[in-house]
């Protein structure tokens, strides 16, 4: 009986920790509506071709098992909601692109136990007006944050992917 009580308490604490570990800063819908300053348009789907998957996998440095990516488009602007693993858990990021440059980057959901400094504007503002070079790199250096190296890398990779995909859908 005592063993069962200890297990239940441990399970409750673990569940509470897991709930706390995911911090939702903004919903996808709110980010999209805010980015366009208008009601949310209907989502579109970009079907990835083999060369697209290869570019994305090169950027991520791991397999990308999706066949399509959802995005939102209005008057030549696009919004991408993408996820990448930081250290152990996915980070959900909204990226708004206007005129082939990043207009806004925002961490929507952060699930890691540390490194959430990447959600602050002092960090995400570095991505504003960033563009993609011919070799799929950002045209600027993104300063890191001590203790959040993997989260910084995740946001940088997602920014590169969003710019790449924006170029594909706005050609």
């Amino acid at each position: 009986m005592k063993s069962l009580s200890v297990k239940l308490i441990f399970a409750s604490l673990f569940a509470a920790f897991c709930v706390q570990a995911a911090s939702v800063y903004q919903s996808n819908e709110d980010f999209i509506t805010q980015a366009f300053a208008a009601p949310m348009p209907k989502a579109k789907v970009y079907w990835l071709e083999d060369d697209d998957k290869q570019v994305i996998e090169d950027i991520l440095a791991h397999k990308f098992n999706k066949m399509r990516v959802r995005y939102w488009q209005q008057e030549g602007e696009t919004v991408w909601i993408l996820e990448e693993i930081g250290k152990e858990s996915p980070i959900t990021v909204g990226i708004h692109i206007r005129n082939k440059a990043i207009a806004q980057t925002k961490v929507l959901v952060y699930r890691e136990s540390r490194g959430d400094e990447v959600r602050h504007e002092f960090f995400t503002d570095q991505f504003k007006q960033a563009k993609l070079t011919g070799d799929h790199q950002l045209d600027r250096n993104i300063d890191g944050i001590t203790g959040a190296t993997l989260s910084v890398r995740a946001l940088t990779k997602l920014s590169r992917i969003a710019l790449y995909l924006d170029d594909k859908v706005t050609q």
Side-chain angles (χ1 to χ4, degrees):
M1 184 71 156
K2 192 173 189 178
S3 175
L4 180 61
S5 297
V6 170
K7 288 179 184 176
L8 287 174
I9 290 170
F10 180 78
S12 297
L13 290 172
F14 180 75
F17 172 77
C18 289
V19 169
Q20 283 184 326
S23 297
V24 178
Y25 299 110
Q26 189 172 23
S27 71
N28 296 357
E29 295 79 14
D30 287 345
F31 178 77
I32 296 162
T33 301
Q34 176 190 9
F36 292 130
M40 188 169 102
K42 185 176 179 184
K44 295 184 176 190
V45 175
Y46 179 73
W47 288 89
L48 300 170
E49 296 181 17
D50 289 341
D51 59 328
D52 297 325
K53 285 186 77 164
Q54 186 60 55
V55 168
I56 292 170
E57 288 175 357
D58 289 347
I59 291 170
L60 293 173
H62 65 75
K63 281 285 200 196
F64 187 74
N65 295 320
K66 294 185 179 183
M67 296 173 58
R68 63 186 181 271
V69 180
R70 284 183 0 157
Y71 68 100
W72 294 262
Q73 186 172 24
Q74 186 168 297
E75 298 178 16
E77 299 179 31
T78 59
V79 169
W80 305 85
I81 307 292
L82 303 170
E83 288 188 341
E84 173 59 343
I85 301 289
K87 182 176 181 181
E88 298 170 343
S89 301
I91 303 168
T92 306
V93 180
I95 302 167
H96 175 207
I97 299 176
R98 179 186 310 123
N99 300 323
K100 306 280 185 214
I102 295 176
Q104 182 184 16
T105 301
K106 183 158 187 181
V107 174
L108 304 178
V109 182
Y110 194 82
R111 299 171 184 88
E112 299 283 1
S113 60
R114 63 169 62 175
D116 72 334
E117 295 88 351
V118 296
R119 72 183 170 91
H120 295 289
E121 286 183 16
F122 75 81
F123 175 74
T124 58
D125 280 353
Q126 296 181 84
F127 292 95
K128 284 185 178 174
Q129 298 306 310
K131 296 182 178 185
L132 204 61
T133 64
D135 61 348
H136 304 121
Q137 298 293 323
L138 293 180
D139 67 352
R140 65 192 59 206
N141 184 50
I142 302 298
D143 290 333
I145 298 174
T146 302
T149 303
L150 297 176
S151 297
V152 169
R153 287 182 188 160
L155 267 69
T156 302
K157 290 175 181 181
L158 293 177
S159 296
R160 293 168 58 199
I161 292 168
L163 285 163
Y164 170 79
L165 292 171
D166 174 77
D167 187 55
K168 299 296 271 188
V169 301
T170 58
Q171 287 184 18

